[in-house]
Amino acid sequence: MKILETERLRLRPFELGDAEGLYAYAKNPNVGPHAGWKPHADVAESRQIIEDLFMVNQAWVIVQKETGRLVGSIALEPDKRRPEVASRELGYSLAEDCWGQGLMTEAAQEAIRFGFEELKLEIIAICTGPTNERSARVIEKCGFQYEGITRHCYKIYDGSVRDSRCYSLLKSEWEAQR
Ligand SMILES: CC(C)(COP(=O)(O)OP(=O)(O)OC[C@H]1O[C@@H](n2cnc3c(N)ncnc32)[C@H](O)[C@@H]1OP(=O)(O)O)[C@@H](O)C(=O)NCCC(=O)NCCS
């Protein structure tokens, strides 16, 4: 796992010691539910998620360079819809007080570059909930193409099943946009 840099952010691999920083924003009920996950109950749960999810997948902590603060996470996870293709699915979340400053677009563009240039991916996918307009805007700003809605496909933390708006970006499209 490589450390990535953007103008305002450093993306580095997760460590167990990041549990408190993750919990500080992931306990907020305005963050996780937009992405389908339950707000973290305590630091121990954040540590478990780092161990089970973030340290297993290609996931980075997002650190704001100016403050040194852990403000989010971003990951290139296995793309369950394309098991036979060099593809990953992008996922991310950001501390609520940092929303609306273009930070996730900045982080996502760098993760996408890493995916195509260094992981040699052919395509990167992302799915979001039907009402997650902020994330949809990040997705559009990163140049993803809208594929459509997969209906009734994603069981979220409260047991309900929701639709997913699906998008993807081919390497050729990404190269043409640069
Ligand atoms: C989605 C999320 C990562 C966006 O991060 P961010 O750093 O605020 O994103 P950006 O600032 O790069 O872009 C947000 C865009 O949404 C727009 N936006 C904000 N509120 C909006 C709303 N209610 N409706 C539509 N667009 C909205 C902003 O204006 C901005 O677009 P612009 O640059 O054209 O003005 C952040 O809101 C988050 O962590 N949400 C909770 C978790 C989540 O949803 N994860 C994604 C799961 S797919």
Side-chain angles (χ1 to χ4, degrees):
M1 275 285 293
K2 227 172 144 175
I3 295 175
L4 307 178
E5 300 261 349
T6 69
E7 191 188 334
R8 293 176 289 176
L9 305 170
R10 179 170 299 112
L11 312 187
R12 61 157 177 81
F14 264 97
E15 300 158 2
L16 287 180
D18 292 317
E20 279 187 19
L22 175 61
Y23 176 65
Y25 84 85
K27 66 183 175 189
N28 179 345
N30 282 334
V31 177
H34 285 291
W37 47 267
K38 177 176 82 59
H40 293 192
D42 48 37
V43 177
E45 185 179 354
S46 296
R47 188 175 301 113
Q48 199 64 53
I49 284 165
I50 291 172
E51 208 171 348
D52 296 347
L53 195 68
F54 293 147
M55 291 177 83
V56 174
N57 290 313
Q58 193 100 37
W60 294 269
V61 169
I62 303 176
V63 177
Q64 207 167 21
K65 284 185 187 172
E66 199 184 346
T67 59
R69 179 182 155 209
L70 188 166
V71 293
S73 73
I74 186 160
L76 286 168
E77 297 171 10
D79 181 352
K80 296 185 195 76
R81 294 185 301 145
R82 296 182 180 81
E84 292 169 2
V85 175
S87 178
R88 295 282 180 90
E89 186 173 327
L90 186 65
Y92 45 63
S93 64
L94 190 71
E96 188 178 10
D97 63 312
C98 295
W99 292 3
Q101 302 168 32
L103 291 177
M104 193 52 79
T105 302
E106 191 172 314
Q109 285 171 340
E110 177 58 10
I112 291 166
R113 184 208 61 74
F114 176 83
F116 287 132
E117 286 189 348
E118 306 199 32
L119 296 181
K120 309 291 180 203
L121 300 178
E122 296 165 27
I123 186 167
I124 296 176
I126 185 163
C127 295
T128 194
T131 59
N132 196 341
E133 299 312 328
R134 278 190 191 83
S135 185
R137 187 72 195 112
V138 173
I139 291 167
E140 282 165 16
K141 289 193 286 182
C142 290
F144 284 87
Q145 301 295 306
Y146 180 60
E147 294 177 0
I149 291 183
T150 305
R151 293 191 302 159
H152 201 67
C153 66
Y154 185 54
K155 188 177 269 189
I156 64 170
Y157 69 98
D158 64 2
S160 61
V161 180
R162 64 160 216 217
D163 298 347
S164 261
R165 283 190 283 184
C166 301
Y167 302 77
S168 57
L169 179 62
L170 289 163
K171 186 173 187 187
S172 56
E173 291 166 345
W174 174 74
E175 284 171 336
Q177 289 165 15
R178 294 192 97 194

